[in-house]
Amino acid sequence: MAHHSPASSTGEKLPTGDAELEKASIEQEEGRNRHTGRQQHSSRKDVINEIDHLATAATRASFAHLDEKKILRKMDLRLIPMLALLYLLSFLDRGNIGNAKIEGLTEDLKISGPQYNWCLTIFFFSYAAFEVPSNLLLKKLRPSIWLPTIMVAWGIVMTLMGIVQGYKGLLAARFFLGVTEAGLFPGVAYYITMWYCREEAQLRQALFFSAASIAGAFSGLLAFGIAHMDGVGGLEGWRWIFILEGILTVLVAVAAFFVLFDFPETASFLTTEERAFVVYRLKYQGQDENDPNKVAQAEEFSWKYVKDAFLDWQIWLSIWVYWGIVCPLYGIALFLPTIIRGLGYTSSTAQLLTVPIYITAAILAVFFAWMSDRAGKRSPFILGCMCVMAIGFIMCISSSKPGVVYAGVFIAACALYPAFPGNITWLSNNLAGSYKRSAGMAIQIGVGNLAGAMASNFYRSKDAPHYVLGHALELGFICVGILALIMLVLNYKRINAKRERQTSEGAHSGYTPEEMSALGDRAVTFRYIL
C-alpha cells in the first residue's frame, strides 16, 4: 500500500463519487512521487502546504456537498484497527510480567518481593522521561516511520527479557522497555487528535484504548497456554511468555511500516477535496463556525508552544485526575492475577478469571465514549466512573470473602477503562495548537504515568492475600482525582463565562488573526469543553 505518497499533488477538485477518476488520479500521483528521497520530501511538503492553503481559504459551505460521515468511516477503517493492535501489544508487553510472576519468575530468578516491585517501578521512570521528546519527534519524523521503529525496539527488549538470569538483568530489561515503549501511547493519543475533531475523539480514543483491556484478557489466555511450554528448549514457561510475545511484536511492527498512514494532508485514501475538508475541520475546532472572527490553530513549531504547555495550569491539574485513574489502572493491570490467586485459586484459574473482567471493561469503554461524544461532555462521565471505581475498592477493603473481592476488582476495572480515554480526550480537547497539544498530552501522560511507579509498590507481598493497604491507597488517589476534576470544571466554567463577556464587548478586535492563532486555547474566541 503506497500510503506515503499523497493522493494528489495538484489543486484540482476530483468529481465526487467518480471512483475511476479518483483511482486513476491516485495511480498517477503515486507514479509521480517515486523519486529520490529529497524529491519525495519536497513533494510531500508541497502537498501539505497546498492542502493547508485550500483549507485555510475555504468556508464550511464550500464542503457542504461532501458526506462527512462517509469520510469519518474511511478514516476509522484505515486508522483505528492498526492503532488498537499496536497498543494491544504495548500493554501486553508491559503487563505480562504479572502473568510471568505467578508462573515462577520470582522463584527461578531468586527475586524478593521488594526487588520485584522495583522491576515494575523502574519501567515508569524511563517511560515518563522519554514521552515529551518522543511526541515532538513524532510529527517531525512521521508516524509511519517513528511508531514502527520504536515498536521493533521494544519487541527486541521484550524477547531478550526471556533470557535474563537474575534481578539486575530483569531490572535493566524493564528500564529499556520503558525507554522504547514511551512514545507509543502519547504518540497515538496525539495522532488521533490530528485526524478527528474534539467532539469525535473520545470514541476513537476508547476504541484504541480498549485494546488495553483486551490485552489484559488476551494476556491471561496467552499466558495460560504458553505456560504449558515449560521445559521446551530447556526454558521455563514464564520465559516463553516474554520470548513469544516479543517476537510477535517485532513481526507486527514490520507490517506497520507499510500499513500506517501519516497525516490527513497526505492520506492516499482521501481525495484532495476530502483532505482539505478534514484539515479545515481541525483548524477551526473549538470555535463557532459562523463566527467571522474565528482563527486557524497554529501548526508551525516553536519552543514557545512547548514552554506554554509546561506552564499551563490545566495540564498540571488534569494530571491529578489522571493519577486518580491510572494508579488503580496499573494496580489492577500488574497485580490482578496475583490478587485473584491470593483468593485461593490456582495460577491457571487466576489467569482465566481475569478474562471476563477485561472483556466487559472494553465493551463499557466504547459505550461510554460514544455517549460522551454524543453529549459533547467529558467531566460528567469521568466523574461517574471515578465514583464507581471508589465503590469497587471500598468493597475490596471491607470484606475478605473471595466473591466480594473479585466483584470489587471487577466493578473497579469496568469503571477504570471508560474513565481513562475520557480523561486523555478531555485535556486534548482543551489544548489548541498542534505542538502545544503534542507537548501537553505527553506531559500529562508522562508525568501521569509516574502513578505506575507508585502503584507498583502498593501491593506488597507481605500484605497478601487481602492487600488492604494497596486497595486503600488506590481509593485515596481516586478521591484526590475527584477533587481535581471538580476544580477543573469550575475553572473552565469561570473562564468560558469571562470569554463570552469579552467577546460580546469586542475584546478580540484588538488582535490580528496571527496573534489570535498564537494564543491557541488562551484566545478569547476559544471555549473549553466541559
Side-chain angles (χ1 to χ4, degrees), residues 217 220-221 224-225 340 346-357 406:
L221 288 172
F224 175 74
I340 295 176
T346 63
S347 294
S348 57
T349 303
Q351 303 279 28
L352 294 176
L353 282 173
T354 65
V355 176
I357 294 177
Y406 182 76

Side-chain angles (χ1 to χ4, degrees), residues 117 331 335 339 393 455-461 467 470-471 474:
N117 285 351
F335 293 99
I339 292 169
F393 282 103
S456 301
N457 297 283
F458 286 177
Y459 292 90
R460 304 176 301 179
S461 55
Y467 298 103
H471 295 322
E474 304 288 27

Side-chain angles (χ1 to χ4, degrees), residues 487-502:
M487 291 174 66
L488 268 173
V489 170
L490 293 176
N491 273 291
Y492 283 150
K493 284 185 174 181
R494 177 183 59 81
I495 294 170
N496 280 351
K498 181 180 177 181
R499 289 179 181 175
E500 288 287 353
R501 292 194 304 271
Q502 289 176 322

Side-chain angles (χ1 to χ4, degrees), residues 364-500:
L364 289 174
V366 174
F367 173 73
F368 279 105
W370 176 78
M371 290 285 289
S372 179
D373 278 349
R374 187 182 177 94
K377 301 282 187 182
R378 306 294 179 216
S379 57
F381 295 93
I382 302 170
L383 179 61
C385 286
M386 294 183 79
C387 291
V388 173
M389 286 159 49
I391 292 170
F393 282 103
I394 289 170
M395 290 173 64
C396 293
I397 294 169
S398 61
S399 176
S400 59
K401 295 180 180 178
V404 176
V405 175
Y406 182 76
V409 293
F410 200 122
I411 289 169
C414 287
L416 275 167
Y417 283 88
F420 187 84
N423 183 234
I424 295 293
T425 308
W426 193 22
L427 179 64
S428 72
N429 288 167
N430 289 328
L431 293 174
S434 180
Y435 278 100
K436 182 182 178 182
R437 189 183 307 117
S438 170
M441 293 179 72
I443 293 167
Q444 182 198 31
I445 296 169
V447 178
N449 272 325
L450 290 176
M454 294 182 276
S456 301
N457 297 283
F458 286 177
Y459 292 90
R460 304 176 301 179
S461 55
K462 66 180 181 180
D463 296 329
H466 302 307
Y467 298 103
V468 173
L469 176 63
H471 295 322
L473 288 169
E474 304 288 27
L475 181 60
F477 270 92
I478 292 169
C479 292
V480 173
I482 289 172
L483 289 175
L485 184 147
I486 293 170
M487 291 174 66
L488 268 173
V489 170
L490 293 176
N491 273 291
Y492 283 150
K493 284 185 174 181
R494 177 183 59 81
I495 294 170
N496 280 351
K498 181 180 177 181
R499 289 179 181 175
E500 288 287 353

Side-chain angles (χ1 to χ4, degrees), residues 100-405:
K101 179 177 184 285
I102 68 173
E103 296 297 342
L105 176 147
T106 51
E107 292 83 0
D108 292 338
L109 296 183
K110 297 179 175 57
I111 292 177
S112 66
Q115 287 178 325
Y116 173 76
N117 285 351
W118 269 111
C119 289
L120 300 183
T121 303
I122 198 168
F123 168 89
F124 296 100
F125 290 147
S126 55
Y127 188 86
F130 285 88
E131 291 201 6
V132 173
S134 178
N135 249 26
L136 295 177
L137 283 169
L138 175 72
K139 196 163 185 178
K140 183 74 174 175
L141 299 180
R142 295 162 43 190
S144 62
I145 295 175
W146 181 244
L147 295 178
T149 298
I150 61 175
M151 194 174 179
V152 168
W154 97 61
I156 292 171
V157 172
M158 174 54 54
T159 304
L160 294 176
M161 198 181 297
I163 59 172
V164 296
Q165 298 301 314
Y167 168 61
K168 291 181 179 178
L170 184 62
L171 194 69
R174 290 287 295 181
F175 175 85
F176 285 105
L177 186 66
V179 172
T180 50
E181 272 202 38
L184 185 81
F185 180 70
V188 174
Y190 167 57
Y191 175 77
I192 287 174
T193 70
M194 292 189 289
W195 287 83
Y196 295 96
C197 291
R198 62 185 196 167
E199 66 273 12
E200 304 153 354
Q202 187 173 339
L203 177 59
R204 279 76 189 182
Q205 296 280 14
L207 287 168
F208 150 65
F209 181 70
S210 63
S213 53
I214 294 171
F218 189 54
S219 182
L221 288 172
L222 204 57
F224 175 74
I226 294 176
H228 288 85
M229 293 179 64
D230 191 32
V232 175
L235 299 175
E236 296 89 346
W238 63 264
R239 293 185 184 275
W240 283 112
I241 292 175
F242 293 146
I243 293 169
L244 293 182
E245 292 180 7
I247 292 172
L248 175 62
T249 297
V250 173
L251 292 176
V252 173
V254 172
F257 276 109
F258 304 98
V259 177
L260 278 178
F261 293 86
D262 290 321
F263 309 111
E265 294 92 334
T266 56
S268 60
F269 62 90
L270 297 175
T271 67
T272 302
E273 202 174 9
E274 288 172 339
R275 283 181 279 151
F277 176 53
V278 172
V279 173
Y280 171 85
R281 295 163 74 245
L282 295 168
K283 276 182 173 292
Y284 298 105
Q285 61 181 323
Q287 303 175 70
D288 184 352
E289 290 180 353
N290 300 314
D291 184 355
N293 301 300
K294 67 181 188 295
V295 292
Q297 293 192 21
E299 298 296 324
E300 73 283 355
F301 176 75
S302 170
W303 284 108
K304 172 186 178 297
Y305 300 129
V306 179
K307 179 183 176 183
D308 286 348
F310 274 98
L311 297 177
D312 195 331
W313 65 272
Q314 63 170 324
I315 293 173
W316 296 102
L317 197 52
S318 73
I319 286 171
W320 285 98
V321 183
Y322 192 94
W323 279 349
I325 298 168
V326 175
C327 268
L329 174 69
Y330 277 116
I332 285 180
L334 295 171
F335 293 99
L336 186 58
T338 303
I339 292 169
I340 295 176
R341 189 179 67 168
L343 299 177
Y345 299 102
T346 63
S347 294
S348 57
T349 303
Q351 303 279 28
L352 294 176
L353 282 173
T354 65
V355 176
I357 294 177
Y358 287 120
I359 294 297
T360 307
I363 294 170
L364 289 174
V366 174
F367 173 73
F368 279 105
W370 176 78
M371 290 285 289
S372 179
D373 278 349
R374 187 182 177 94
K377 301 282 187 182
R378 306 294 179 216
S379 57
F381 295 93
I382 302 170
L383 179 61
C385 286
M386 294 183 79
C387 291
V388 173
M389 286 159 49
I391 292 170
F393 282 103
I394 289 170
M395 290 173 64
C396 293
I397 294 169
S398 61
S399 176
S400 59
K401 295 180 180 178
V404 176
V405 175

